[in-house]
Each structure stands twice: as C-alpha cells, then as structure tokens.
Amino acid sequence: MRVITGIYKGRHFEVPRSFKARPTTDFAKENLFNVLNGYLDFDEEPEALDLFAGTGSITIELLSRGCGKVVSVERDAQHFRFISQIVDTLKAPNCYLLRADVFRYLDRCNEQFDFIFADPPYALKNLEDLPDLVFRHNLLKPDGLFVLEHGKTNDFSAHPSFKEHRTYGSVNFSFFKAKETANE
C-alpha cells in the first residue's frame, strides 16, 4: 500500500498477508482521487469519514492531501491496530480512529462531513442500504459527497442522490451528492 500524493507521498506500508480486507488498488485509488479533485477542494481542509476502513489506505490518503479531520471506522481488531500503527508512525494529526460496527456508528453519528467514503466487503448483505443510511441520518454537509466502492453487480443509478459511476478494473465507485442547501 502506498500513499499517492500529499505530505506523506511515496510512503509504503506492507499489509499483512493475514488480512481479510481487500485494499482498494493503487490504480483505482489514484483514479478516484483524480475524480475527487473535481468535487472537493482539499485546500479547504474538508472533513471526511472513512467507513469499513480496512487497511486505512483511504484514510491515510485523505490525511496526506490535507483533510482537516478524518474519522476512520473499522470493526476488525487486527485491521484497527494496523491503521493505528500507521497513524502513529506518521504522527498524523486530526485522525480519529473508531473500532466499531459501521451500521451502529451510522445510527448514532451526529456529525456531518464534506466527504464520506465506504468500502464494505462486496458480499455484505446490506451493502445496498448504505446510501439511504448516509442520507437518512443527514451525515453529509450541504453539497457533500458520498462515494461507495462496490462490486460490478450493484447498480445505484436509480438512487435520487446518485451522480455518477466509475469503473477501474474490477473496482466500481458510485458517487452520491448532497443537495446544496437543506431547503432544496
């Protein structure tokens, strides 16, 4: 796993072979962040939420690019420890790691974010519910962006907040956008 750009650019971290997590490929991650540059102004220090953080690859990339705050949620103890070690090694400020079930976290979260990323296991039985949960709990700030990584069999194009779909190899990203103001 490598950091593509920003203050931690070029740093490499070896993901243990025993990991159950499937990290977002560097190719897909690089293309994702190229697209995100059209949606987010990293100079504005956006606040981000990384759900199903896995290896922490997206969390670290967000911190490297200048997010003012990143909340990273991961349930697996081994994965959580790995992310914690990376954050400690980098002395990354403004990173809040939570070892928690994502669905319980979403039900209790009372914060809003400029950007939310979710990379659940592709076989997760309630993966299809994630966009509705994010919007039902009002977790995005006005004009905020939610990106869901998923397998090729999922189609979110009928969702009212859906904006676009991108595919990079076997990795699929669906983009959802919050309304600009709460009155719209």
Side-chain angles (χ1 to χ4, degrees):
M1 175 179 93
R2 75 178 168 94
V3 182
I4 297 165
T5 197
I7 60 174
Y8 307 124
K9 179 181 180 177
R11 298 290 300 262
H12 289 267
F13 299 95
E14 283 300 315
V15 177
R17 292 184 190 274
S18 60
F19 260 37
K20 294 173 253 173
R22 163 208 27 81
T24 303
T25 65
D26 285 348
F27 172 72
K29 183 170 66 171
E30 187 166 1
N31 282 289
L32 169 66
F33 276 90
N34 286 339
V35 174
L36 288 180
N37 284 329
Y39 283 102
L40 297 171
D41 183 352
F42 286 99
D43 291 334
E44 296 288 321
E45 299 184 356
E47 295 184 347
L49 173 62
D50 183 6
L51 301 171
F52 305 95
T55 63
S57 177
I58 299 297
T59 292
I60 302 306
E61 195 70 41
L62 289 166
L63 291 166
S64 184
R65 289 171 186 253
C67 279
K69 174 182 180 179
V70 178
V71 176
S72 183
V73 182
E74 174 55 51
R75 183 179 67 184
D76 184 274
Q78 181 186 19
H79 299 181
F80 180 82
R81 277 191 305 277
F82 180 74
I83 299 167
S84 296
Q85 289 169 352
I86 292 173
V87 169
D88 289 346
T89 298
L90 296 174
K91 296 178 178 40
N94 305 322
C95 186
Y96 303 90
L97 303 175
L98 300 173
R99 183 166 174 239
D101 175 82
V102 165
F103 293 98
R104 286 188 181 138
Y105 173 80
L106 292 175
D107 283 340
R108 295 182 178 133
C109 182
N110 58 7
E111 292 183 73
Q112 287 189 316
F113 301 89
D114 299 293
F115 175 63
I116 300 174
F117 181 80
D119 180 9
Y122 289 179
L124 184 71
K125 69 177 181 173
N126 39 359
L127 182 145
E128 297 274 342
D129 298 336
L130 287 169
D132 288 336
L133 288 171
V134 166
F135 288 98
R136 184 179 322 128
H137 293 296
N138 197 29
L139 299 179
L140 286 172
K141 293 180 182 178
D143 207 30
L145 180 69
F146 170 52
V147 175
L148 175 59
E149 182 175 334
H150 56 83
K152 65 182 178 183
T153 60
N154 301 99
D155 179 6
F156 295 95
S157 59
H159 192 279
S161 298
F162 177 82
K163 287 300 170 202
E164 68 175 296
H165 174 261
R166 301 280 180 124
T167 302
Y168 303 104
S170 63
V171 178
N172 291 266
F173 296 111
S174 287
F175 291 70
F176 305 84
K177 195 94 165 90
K179 295 185 185 302
E180 289 188 31
T181 65
N183 294 333
E184 288 187 9

